[in-house]
Amino acid sequence: MTAKNLPCTSAHFHTHVLFLIILCLPVHVLNAQRNSFLKVSKVKPEDFKLSNPLISTSTNAVIIFDKGDVSFEGNKKGWFSYIYKRVKRILILNNTASDLATVQLMLYKDGENKETVEDMSGLTFYVENGTVVETQLNLKDVMEEKYDKNHLLKKFALPAVKEGSIIEYSYIIKSDFVFNIPSWEFQNTKYPTLWSEYNIAIPGLLSYMSVQQGFNKFEVNKAGDRYDVFRVSRSNANGGALVKTDESLSVSTHTNLHKWAMKDIPAFSAEKFVFSPTNFIDKISFQLYKTFDGEDYHDVASNWKKVSEELMQREDFAQSVSEENYWLDKVLAQIVNAGDHAEEGAKKIFYYVQQNFTCNDHDDKYIKTSLHDVVKKKSGTVGDLNLLLIAMLRHEKFIADPVLLSTTEFGRNSPTYPLMEKLNYVICRTRINGVDYFLDATVPLLPFGKLPLNCYNGHARVISPDTTAVYFDPDALKEDCLVSVFIANTNGQDIQGSLVHKMGFFESLDTRTEIQKKSLTDYENHFKTSSPEGMLLSNFEFDSLEKIESPLTLKADFKLTAFDDADIVYFNPILGEAVTENPFISAERSYNVEMPYTKNHVYTLNMEIPKGYYIDEMPKSAKAMLNEEEGSFEYLVTADEKYLQLRAILKINKATFDASDYQTLRDFYAFVLKKESGQIVFKKIKS
């Protein structure tokens, strides 16, 4: 169940239109059969031994069925409410899937108006002496807690769940927030689903856009319509209602019906290079975009200008950073100096927040309590910390605004229709001398003006009067890596060498983070153990380890033991940097390949041929292109009696590839793998 936006009040009905009928007419209540929907077949002993091609010994759980239903009714506020009903049955095959027995329902609220849960039920079934035994959820064990300003969380754990049991739960949610009805996921990211069904019945006076995604075919995809009558009443007059004070009316209109169902849906198989399965699983979602009052259509879909205006007035968002915040005088006096130039002052504020505060929730864009409390506790959500950064920058007269986005693991958001539940993250945009810098103070060791990889998820929106759209695309990121290896005979017997590894930005960030979490010694030991067999590393040295705005360079010495008096030596010249497996395993792929960035990896080797050996065989030079200009690979090797030289350059010039390019990309990496696994054969010179 997703969070809801505020109900639309801009479209009003006129009491003289033909769709309004006096209350004395018979009324058909849409939810009259509500409870019958939740009545499903009894659990039988054979249900515990399901046979289906989707079920194997590695299957931890099976979703037997998942049914959802949305219908509407008139309410006592002069408008409409929707009724969302759901029933779900799951077979637990392994205890590792017992987390499915914990259910959480997110309910939206706005002031005193909130969504409500009715007819909640939970059952656990198991077989005992050939008989199905059930244990019922005690409704006293259902917990409710405040999640944030606009959400309540109801949660419960089904009782007596064990390996081999079946769980079933159902509930009904009633909501006045009709802006977007619940989306429906037919496919699960972990477990197969034998039957998934969604039914909607929407009054013709409300028009919703639907967005469908996924690759599996529907077993049922059927539309229809009927006429229904809705009772609408109102006990007070606040304007923007369908009826006036103490009036009750019946509204007759055709109702649009649709039923979708899928059968035997495999769990989503996420291969490498997928940001979020939610971008690809079989799913359908809805958003209200217009209403009809009997005379005119009214566009009601929210827009970014309206959303931005609302957010700038929210106390737990932009309003807090727009205030004078005089209490920051004392804090900032210890951070910035009057003589600091603009960028220097902004950096001091950024690094102060980054290095002195801890982020405890990277999926909450709002201020939980107050900025003053955040400073006191030295911790908070991503909203707390980055909005504090904005408040501090504004206090020092910098231009600074919040930027809303969705992180890669959260799924994409729409640049056209703002849905707040699709946006989980906030960063800072500051403008210094006409240049925009985007900042995230919640990630340790992240340099000023850089963002973490999971922020590169397409559309983002600056929350300001001009509501500027910005885009953070992986295609704009380039990771350069240069590895140089030198090997020489220093004393005629030991084969010794040195390497210089110049890291790209994200590899530098990951390396610094790993060293900070553990230790430099642990990192060196890991580097040693992951090096090729027969390569003994020593004398590690880092350049710019403490300078987080500079890329890292690792230097090390090594000794090769393979040449210790061996008659034949098989030597891979790409020491520790070769592609060792094709990341694209499956023969086919239905969804895009999403790499985190483009890359330019350059490896060079200059080797003095070990004394007493000659080259008997070596790979041939080769070159391959990926879709002409989307990537390339060069493998250039030359040798004479004294020296061997090799250069391998792998370039990937775009980060996102369509599914239609998958086979080409797979073949390209197969070629790279084959060349970089090539061996040079050294043989001992016979005297």
Side-chain angles (χ1 to χ4, degrees), residues 40-243:
V40 294
S41 60
K42 290 185 178 180
V43 175
K44 302 179 288 296
E46 54 264 33
D47 293 335
F48 294 83
K49 297 180 179 180
L50 297 175
S51 177
N52 190 287
L54 296 179
I55 304 173
S56 67
T57 55
S58 62
T59 305
N60 295 321
V62 180
I63 300 171
I64 300 173
F65 62 75
D66 191 6
K67 296 176 66 178
D69 181 273
V70 172
S71 60
F72 285 75
E73 66 179 13
N75 61 31
K76 295 181 180 180
K77 299 173 184 177
W79 194 240
F80 292 95
S81 300
Y82 72 73
I83 310 300
Y84 174 60
K85 298 169 281 185
R86 187 172 193 175
V87 57
K88 192 170 187 177
R89 182 179 290 177
I90 305 169
L91 171 62
I92 306 294
L93 295 172
N94 190 292
N95 284 329
T96 58
S98 59
D99 60 306
L100 291 171
T102 300
V103 183
Q104 298 189 77
L105 308 178
M106 190 74 76
L107 305 175
Y108 188 80
K109 65 185 290 287
D110 179 32
E112 297 300 316
N113 191 11
K114 62 182 181 180
E115 295 176 334
T116 58
V117 182
E118 303 172 0
D119 297 341
M120 185 181 293
S121 173
L123 295 166
T124 301
F125 304 90
Y126 56 93
V127 177
E128 192 173 89
N129 298 324
T131 302
V132 177
V133 180
E134 67 177 53
T135 304
Q136 190 166 358
L137 170 70
N138 188 336
L139 295 182
K140 293 182 180 179
D141 295 330
V142 178
M143 301 175 61
E144 179 177 296
E145 62 185 50
K146 179 180 178 182
Y147 183 78
D148 59 29
K149 179 182 177 181
N150 289 111
H151 294 91
L152 298 172
L153 192 65
K154 273 192 181 286
K155 55 184 178 180
F156 58 88
L158 292 165
V161 176
K162 59 184 179 181
E163 192 171 289
S165 58
I166 288 176
I167 60 174
E168 178 182 302
Y169 57 88
S170 62
Y171 55 86
I172 299 173
I173 293 178
K174 184 173 181 179
S175 175
D176 296 334
F177 307 102
V178 300
F179 188 79
N180 59 297
I181 57 181
S183 60
W184 187 260
E185 295 180 355
F186 297 90
Q187 188 175 29
N188 191 275
T189 58
K190 291 183 179 180
Y191 312 109
T193 303
L194 304 188
W195 185 262
S196 182
E197 177 183 325
Y198 198 43
N199 302 275
I200 59 171
I202 301 174
L205 305 175
L206 304 175
S207 296
Y208 287 84
M209 293 178 295
S210 63
V211 178
Q212 181 185 327
Q213 66 178 48
F215 304 97
N216 292 296
K217 294 181 179 179
F218 286 109
E219 182 77 9
V220 180
N221 185 358
K222 185 168 58 177
D225 60 57
R226 68 176 183 229
Y227 270 87
D228 286 309
V229 180
F230 300 84
R231 179 184 289 116
V232 179
S233 63
R234 192 173 181 85
S235 58
N236 55 66
N238 290 331
L242 195 149
V243 295

Side-chain angles (χ1 to χ4, degrees), residues 317 359 361-366 381-383 385-387 402-410 413 420-428 439-444 446 450-457 459-461 463 472:
F317 197 73
C359 184
D361 188 343
H362 279 90
D363 285 320
D364 193 337
K365 55 186 174 285
Y366 297 117
T381 66
V382 62
L385 302 194
N386 282 333
L387 290 169
V403 180
L404 277 180
L405 56 83
S406 58
T407 53
T408 52
E409 62 273 15
F410 203 73
N413 73 86
M420 294 308 294
E421 67 268 23
K422 294 289 188 181
L423 299 152
N424 67 314
Y425 210 79
V426 60
I427 59 173
C428 165
L439 311 175
D440 183 358
T442 68
V443 181
L446 186 70
K450 298 288 187 179
L451 294 177
L453 271 177
N454 65 348
C455 285
Y456 286 85
N457 194 32
H459 169 262
R461 186 66 59 154
I463 304 304
F472 302 113

Side-chain angles (χ1 to χ4, degrees), residues 374-385:
V374 174
V375 172
K376 182 179 179 180
K377 292 181 178 179
K378 292 290 190 292
S379 66
T381 66
V382 62
D384 287 326
L385 302 194

